[in-house]
Amino acid sequence: MQTPFMQMALDEARAAAARGEVPVGAVIVGPDGTLLARAGNRIVELKDPTAHAELLAIREAARGLGSERLTGCDLYVTLEPCPMCAQAMAFARIRRLYYGAADPKGGGVDHGPRIFAQPTCHHAPEIYGGIAEAEASRLLKDFFAARR
């Protein structure tokens, strides 16, 4: 299934790959369906291990809304979020998470520590995985194959 917002996230992932970053893109949509933020990984560019697409998008959306809470907002991302990003989503109170490719090694939602399933998790979004999964996976595989 493809949505316009996941397509925007895929565009951000392609742009990240063109910059030499791992191709992950994220988009945040407000409760009324308006685009609040879009970002791709910028870890290498910013020399910042926390510059994941999701965190950059959360920061931009929070600034735009003037609030640390993104209640009612949805996040689209091309790869299953890592534990750090999943925890940030819980703190931001993201309503729904839509992600593309699963990440059995580094994921924190449906793999690894499963952040939202922990009893200490403050908030868990609705989770929808496998959105545009084939395209998201192909971007990652092609990126890493070119690096080998």
Side-chain angles (χ1 to χ4, degrees):
M1 180 177 107
Q2 181 69 283
T3 70
F5 295 120
M6 185 56 84
Q7 186 57 53
M8 286 181 202
L10 287 162
D11 291 344
E12 289 292 332
R14 283 189 280 277
R19 293 189 304 271
E21 302 276 0
V22 174
V24 178
V27 168
I28 296 182
V29 179
D32 62 355
T34 60
L35 176 67
L36 297 177
R38 58 190 295 169
N41 275 357
R42 292 190 178 274
I43 296 159
V44 175
E45 176 186 335
L46 299 176
K47 312 269 186 289
D48 179 355
T50 70
H52 290 201
E54 301 96 317
L55 291 184
L56 296 173
I58 286 170
R59 291 171 187 152
E60 181 182 333
R63 273 192 306 274
L65 290 175
S67 174
E68 74 282 6
R69 299 281 188 254
L70 301 178
T71 306
C73 295
D74 300 336
L75 191 147
Y76 293 77
V77 63
T78 58
L79 180 64
E80 176 185 350
C82 73
M84 173 180 67
C85 292
Q87 190 63 64
M89 285 178 230
F91 288 146
R93 307 296 194 267
I94 294 290
R95 175 177 59 180
R96 292 185 198 107
L97 165 64
Y98 299 91
Y99 74 83
D103 189 354
K105 284 185 176 180
V109 175
D110 289 325
H111 296 89
R114 295 180 170 92
I115 296 298
F116 303 128
Q118 298 306 312
T120 55
C121 185
H122 294 86
H123 169 82
E126 295 174 31
I127 302 165
Y128 303 93
I131 311 297
E133 182 174 18
E135 189 172 354
S137 293
R138 188 173 51 253
L139 279 171
L140 289 158
K141 286 177 184 164
D142 290 351
F143 177 81
F144 287 112
R147 292 217 173 286
R148 291 188 183 108

